[in-house]
Amino acid sequence: MSRDVWDPVVYGRYADERARPFFELVARVAAEHPSYVVDAGCGSGELTAQLAARWPEADVHGFDSSPAMIAKAAPGERLTFSVEDVTRWRPERPVDVLVSNAALQWVPGHRELLPAWVDALAPGGWLAFQVPGNFDFPSHTILRELYATDRWRDRLGDLGRGVPVGDPAEYLELLSGLGCRVDAWETTYLHVLEGEDAVLRWVSGTALRPALDRLDPRETEEFLAECGARLGEAYPRRPYGTVFPFRRIFVVARR
């Protein structure tokens, strides 16, 4: 997962909408008195702090591959953070609850990573993650179409990743085969976003980051204008805001 150049301020837009799946995921984790909780791909750590509040007796550790994100995180009593590569991370002690919120979609081999994460759990431990499932929605298909155009193919053509995540049934099968009891489901949120170019501003903090990191200021202005026009047609602004359907995949597994 490459998030080294992520801007925490841009990512923090629509924080409430981005946080809602986290709370709905963690609500399905029935751990009562965990001693060690880990947040894999924790970003700037605000939600990691919620894990410390949820389990006040636990040591809670969050890690992310982005130094900029971790620099914004605020350690506290029982709450620590570090810069780590999610594909190489291994805990120093068994984990009672391992949470990953909207991170594994950035890891092409994350299915192969899951067995190691299950092995990292203490007996009876919990693994909970959610990933976006909207890669076939216009917010992503429009980007892939732009990357493939004559204007942008040389600069961005390799960024069309298709669908990098599975569906709930695939994760249920995989983790059940590893001896876990699995609860997997999906939800499509209808976010109502305020302001102009709302969907463009949303994807600028997530899906567009790899493209924007490659473009110079002039190219960025041109690309965003073209992208914003297409997204505006796909997601028209209404008097009450812009409706942005967003599908997410949830998995909670107990070892």
Side-chain angles (χ1 to χ4, degrees):
M1 176 176 58
S2 177
R3 298 173 65 173
D4 295 351
V5 289
W6 278 42
D7 184 339
V9 175
V10 175
Y11 184 77
R13 294 170 179 163
Y14 307 116
D16 289 345
E17 289 87 353
R18 296 191 196 280
R20 181 178 170 186
F22 170 88
F23 290 108
E24 295 185 5
L25 174 73
V26 173
R28 302 286 276 267
V29 177
E32 295 183 356
H33 301 288
S35 63
Y36 187 39
V37 176
V38 174
D39 186 0
C42 66
S44 51
E46 292 88 353
L47 296 178
T48 317
Q50 296 297 320
L51 298 176
R54 164 78 184 271
W55 290 295
E57 300 174 358
D59 294 325
V60 179
H61 181 70
F63 71 87
D64 198 281
S65 65
S66 169
M69 287 289 194
I70 294 299
K72 296 283 289 184
E77 184 179 1
R78 302 179 295 99
L79 179 60
T80 58
F81 295 95
S82 65
V83 177
E84 306 276 355
D85 183 334
V86 71
T87 64
R88 296 188 177 95
W89 169 81
R90 296 294 183 272
E92 296 181 354
R93 56 193 271 203
V95 180
D96 298 297
V97 179
L98 175 53
V99 175
S100 183
N101 182 60
L104 290 178
Q105 73 274 15
W106 296 104
V107 184
H110 71 266
R111 294 166 178 81
E112 290 72 32
L113 185 63
L114 293 177
W117 281 15
V118 170
D119 286 344
L121 298 176
W126 298 77
L127 168 62
F129 64 88
Q130 70 87 8
V131 291
N134 62 337
F135 295 95
D136 287 330
F137 286 33
S139 56
H140 286 73
T141 60
I142 286 172
L143 301 187
R144 293 199 295 270
E145 290 168 359
L146 279 176
Y147 297 157
T149 60
D150 292 341
R151 174 64 182 93
W152 302 110
R153 185 181 301 114
D154 290 344
R155 300 283 277 134
L156 307 173
D158 63 312
L159 294 179
R161 299 187 304 143
V163 180
V165 302
D167 61 20
E170 178 183 344
Y171 293 118
L172 187 151
E173 182 72 16
L174 190 160
L175 289 164
S176 295
L178 297 173
C180 296
R181 181 178 299 173
V182 184
D183 181 13
W185 71 100
E186 64 179 77
T187 297
T188 298
Y189 299 91
L190 296 181
H191 298 306
V192 180
L193 308 181
E194 298 180 354
E196 296 183 4
D197 295 321
V199 176
L200 177 64
R201 288 188 290 126
W202 178 294
V203 299
S204 293
T206 51
L208 268 183
R209 293 313 309 170
L212 298 182
D213 294 335
R214 294 186 184 183
L215 302 177
D216 64 33
R218 181 187 60 80
E219 291 173 325
T220 296
E221 183 178 358
E222 179 185 352
F223 183 83
L224 289 179
E226 187 173 357
C227 186
R230 295 195 185 197
L231 289 172
E233 292 179 0
Y235 301 97
R237 187 179 182 186
R238 307 297 186 190
Y240 51 84
T242 300
V243 179
F244 183 39
F246 201 119
R247 175 177 177 253
R248 292 187 183 267
I249 308 299
F250 296 82
V251 181
V252 174
R254 188 176 190 189
R255 183 176 185 185

